[in-house]
């Protein structure tokens, strides 16, 4: 919404949230999320045509012509479809609230990621009204990635708008096309029917996650065969049909979307009587869980089959670099695995420690949170690099090595460190998808 406001000074954008604390943060220079470039965009538009508020929802609804609904749609934790399908209660409550306070026709936009045909349900709720109002529901899924959100919004690969093939539907779609055309080239704004748009969002995330699970499956094989996963990724990525992006082997994918959206897709397939298609996509998640568990298992076997009482510095809590978000972070999954082995954890991250503490729940009391990576590694037996923050590549690892217990181990779950140099310094180095570099005579896992 901030980027829309920035590029469309002729429109007034009001962002409403029920969380007063968050709204206050949006109105300050301490935004509630860490996202490079976002503050600058907010500062340019805020107070001009961008407003954040937690009050007067009735008036804001009544005055608006277009409403983007971006409420959360987490995985359902109860009842039918628990653990799989999306929990739509917030979406439905919002639809009812819109209906209650509306006195004119409106375009309602699904910005949240939703199961296919949700728009139908929303239309049924909205258009069954005694006021004679008409609501045109469109789907406009968001494809930005955290950490590069502003870049992705400024210069999107595509903007997708789905609507009905009716005169009212077409008119509403055109209104939203014109909105984005204020800064996005027309040829990158694509329009489809509603269901294609809803499904494309789930499928885009499923395909991206599938690429990561595919390369991670290969990373396991590389570690056994002496092949190097980065070389393999480079070699296959040169094939223009495959392409080079999203082929970085890692400790696993995280974030609030991939797992949730795939589970949603799996549920959709199952509920449409397509168990084979469901099982196919479910395997993408299973492979991700395997990769996280495999990382912990490798650490245990490398460190003489016990981690009990050993201090381990964990570099990275965020699910990826340049974000403070720790939702579904593989780093925290690995932390839980290490805690189960009774390791003593020192967790270090430049921006995500506060969220990590919340997400770890009860386990947080077993973890030391340390912003300084040098202090985190003091007296440690091992370092596990779990988020690809650039800060971790610039550290003085010789200094770190000298402060650690011998033999020292480093497990690079993101392949961001210079492994040959680390080995030379004296570290035993384990990198995802590569043969370990050891100062022992024998591979400790054999
Ligand atoms: C993802 C999609 O990339 C966005 O297009 C989408 O809009 C968004 O979900 C959403 O649905 O909201 P995001 O979760 O922010 O964006 O981050 P990604 O860059 O996709 O990374 C997801 C995870 O995959 C991270 O844990 C990242 O470290 C991991 N990853 C990514 C890899 O392990 N290897 C790669 O090559 C790329």
């Amino acid at each position: 919404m901030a980027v829309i406001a920035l590029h469309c000074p002729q429109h007034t954008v009001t962002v409403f949230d029920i969380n007063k604390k968050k709204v206050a943060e949006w109105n300050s220079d301490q935004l509630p999320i860490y996202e490079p470039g976002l503050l600058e965009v907010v500062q340019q538009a805020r107070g001009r045509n961008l407003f954040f508020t937690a009050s007067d929802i009735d008036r804001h609804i009544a005055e608006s012509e277009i409403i983007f609904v971006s409420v959360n749609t987490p995985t359902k934790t109860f009842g039918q479809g628990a653990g799989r399908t999306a929990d739509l209660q917030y979406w439905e409550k919002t639809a009812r609230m819109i209906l209650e306070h509306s006195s004119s026709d409106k375009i309602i936009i699904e910005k949240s990621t939703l199961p296919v045909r949700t728009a139908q349900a929303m239309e049924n709720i909205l258009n069954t009204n005694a006021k004679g109002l008409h609501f045109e529901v469109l789907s406009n899924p968001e494809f930005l990635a955290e950490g590069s959100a502003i870049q992705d919004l400024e210069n999107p690969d595509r903007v997708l708008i789905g609507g009905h093939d009716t005169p009212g539907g077409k008119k509403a779609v055109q209104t939203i096309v014109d909105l984005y055309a204020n800064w996005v080239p027309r040829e990158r704004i694509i329009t489809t029917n509603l269901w294609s748009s809803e499904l494309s969002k789930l499928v885009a995330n499923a395909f991206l996650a599938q690429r990561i699970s595919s390369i991670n499956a290969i990373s396991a094989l590389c570690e056994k065969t002496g092949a190097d996963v980065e070389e393999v990724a480079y070699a296959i990525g040169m094939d223009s049909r495959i392409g080079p992006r999203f082929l970085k082997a890692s400790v696993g994918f995280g974030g609030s979307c991939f797992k949730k959206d795939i589970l949603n897709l799996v549920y959709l397939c199952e509920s449409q009587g397509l168990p084979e298609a469901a099982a196919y996509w479910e395997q993408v998640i299973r492979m991700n869980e395997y990769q996280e568990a495999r990382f912990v298992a490798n650490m245990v076997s490398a460190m003489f089959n016990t981690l009990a009482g050993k201090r381990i510095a964990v570099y990275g809590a965020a699910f990826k670099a340049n974000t403070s978000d720790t939702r579904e972070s593989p780093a925290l999954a690995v932390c839980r695995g290490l805690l189960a082995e009774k390791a003593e954890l020192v967790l270090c991250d430049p921006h995500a420690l506060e969220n990590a503490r919340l997400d770890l729940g009860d386990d947080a009391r077993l973890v030391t949170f340390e912003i300084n990576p040098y202090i985190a590694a003091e007296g440690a037996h091992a370092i596990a690099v779990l988020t690809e923050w650039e800060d971790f590549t610039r550290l003085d690892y010789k200094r770190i090595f000298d402060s650690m217990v011998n033999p020292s181990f480093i497990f690079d779950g993101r392949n961001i460190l210079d492994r040959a140099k680390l080995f030379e310094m004296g570290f035993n180095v384990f990198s995802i998808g590569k043969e370990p570099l050891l100062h022992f005579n024998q591979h400790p896992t054999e």
Side-chain angles (χ1 to χ4, degrees):
M1 290 306 113
V3 171
I4 289 179
L6 182 72
H7 289 287
C8 308
Q10 69 277 30
H11 298 303
T12 300
V13 179
T14 305
V15 179
F16 176 86
D17 198 296
I18 51 171
N19 186 327
K20 290 198 173 68
K21 181 173 168 274
K22 278 206 178 147
V23 169
E25 287 167 351
W26 283 111
N27 278 319
S28 76
D29 285 345
Q30 305 293 322
L31 302 185
I33 52 170
Y34 174 72
E35 185 63 54
L38 176 59
L39 180 62
E40 289 73 10
V41 172
V42 168
Q43 281 172 334
Q44 283 182 69
R46 196 170 51 196
R48 180 188 74 180
N49 64 329
L50 174 65
F51 303 92
F52 297 95
T53 178
S55 55
D56 299 332
I57 183 67
D58 41 354
R59 182 168 60 82
H60 295 303
I61 288 176
E63 287 175 358
S64 61
E65 293 159 76
I66 304 169
I67 300 179
F68 288 81
V69 183
S70 321
V71 296
N72 53 338
T73 50
T75 304
K76 207 173 164 193
T77 53
F78 53 88
Q80 263 189 43
R84 286 166 178 246
T85 192
D87 183 348
L88 296 178
Q89 59 170 313
Y90 308 107
W91 227 105
E92 184 173 332
K93 273 183 198 146
T94 309
R96 290 183 190 279
M97 194 162 73
I98 291 171
L99 185 56
E100 187 187 340
H101 300 301
S102 289
S103 49
S104 56
D105 294 354
K106 296 185 197 308
I107 299 174
I108 309 298
I109 300 194
E110 296 180 331
K111 201 64 174 153
S112 315
T113 303
L114 296 160
V116 182
R117 297 199 86 91
T118 303
Q120 180 100 66
M122 294 308 148
E123 274 175 340
N124 292 345
I125 292 172
L126 288 165
N127 287 326
T128 313
N129 67 75
K131 300 182 185 176
L133 299 177
H134 178 72
F135 296 89
E136 196 63 48
V137 179
L138 303 185
S139 159
N140 171 220
E142 187 48 64
F143 295 107
L144 70 79
E146 289 181 32
S148 57
I150 298 299
Q151 244 165 281
D152 297 342
L153 289 166
E154 288 286 353
N155 190 21
D157 285 348
R158 81 310 207 176
V159 168
L160 176 58
I161 303 164
H164 286 305
D165 195 17
T166 56
K170 283 186 190 155
K171 190 164 163 244
V173 167
Q174 193 54 46
T175 305
I176 305 307
V177 169
D178 292 343
L179 184 72
Y180 281 103
N182 279 292
W183 80 98
V184 179
R186 291 257 173 185
E187 64 277 10
R188 287 206 220 147
I189 306 177
I190 52 178
T191 59
T192 64
N193 80 30
L194 259 171
W195 325 127
S196 304
S197 175
E198 287 179 334
L199 186 58
S200 298
K201 170 65 197 178
L202 298 182
V203 174
N205 274 355
F207 267 62
L208 289 169
Q210 181 203 38
R211 274 174 80 91
I212 302 168
S213 277
S214 296
I215 199 70
N216 281 346
I218 299 304
S219 77
L221 189 59
C222 286
E223 286 166 32
K224 299 281 184 203
T225 56
D228 177 325
V229 77
E230 284 189 304
E231 292 178 352
V232 174
Y234 184 71
I236 64 165
M238 291 278 281
D239 184 325
S240 60
R241 293 167 302 175
I242 297 174
R245 297 180 66 191
F246 260 68
L247 285 181
K248 282 206 190 78
S250 65
V251 57
F253 61 74
S256 65
C257 301
F258 281 179
K259 185 173 169 193
K260 170 178 78 102
D261 291 353
I262 296 173
L263 285 173
N264 212 323
L265 187 64
V266 168
Y267 185 74
L268 254 164
C269 293
E270 274 173 2
S271 56
Q272 296 300 324
L274 305 168
E276 289 80 4
Y280 175 78
W281 287 109
E282 190 155 19
Q283 189 56 25
V284 172
I285 297 176
R286 298 283 92 86
M287 185 53 63
N288 199 51
E289 290 166 350
Y290 165 72
Q291 189 75 347
E292 292 167 347
R294 205 170 70 75
F295 194 87
V296 175
N298 277 349
M299 287 183 72
V300 175
S301 75
M303 295 172 69
F304 320 111
N305 291 315
T306 176
L307 300 181
K310 289 182 179 165
R311 182 174 163 112
I312 296 174
V314 174
Y315 283 2
F319 81 95
K320 62 187 270 194
N322 298 321
T323 176
S324 53
D325 197 340
T326 53
R327 287 176 293 174
E328 299 291 342
S329 174
L332 299 191
V334 167
C335 283
R336 289 191 191 94
L338 297 175
L339 287 173
E341 294 294 332
K342 301 203 182 307
E344 215 184 275
L345 294 192
V346 188
L347 184 53
C348 175
D349 190 290
H351 289 279
L353 287 186
E354 210 177 306
N355 282 333
R357 193 191 297 272
L358 293 173
D359 274 5
L360 281 169
D362 280 353
D363 286 337
R365 57 193 168 80
L366 303 170
V367 175
T368 306
F369 296 86
E370 174 57 60
I371 191 94
N372 183 326
Y374 294 102
I375 298 177
E378 258 172 36
H381 291 253
I383 297 172
V385 179
L386 303 180
T387 310
E388 71 281 25
W389 286 105
E390 220 187 304
D391 303 27
F392 297 143
T393 65
R394 293 202 222 100
L395 300 173
D396 176 351
Y397 280 95
K398 180 75 181 86
R399 176 179 157 196
I400 289 174
F401 178 79
D402 289 341
S403 76
M404 289 174 64
V405 172
N406 265 325
S408 328
F409 295 82
I410 194 155
F411 299 87
D412 185 355
R414 296 285 184 170
N415 284 332
I416 55 169
L417 303 180
D418 184 336
R419 56 197 243 111
K421 255 200 199 143
L422 292 172
F423 180 66
E424 235 171 71
M425 285 173 196
F427 279 106
N428 295 293
V429 188
F430 289 76
S431 316
I432 288 280
K434 298 176 191 229
E435 248 185 342
L437 300 175
L438 299 173
H439 293 285
F440 308 114
N441 293 333
Q442 254 196 331
H443 190 310
T445 56
E446 277 163 8

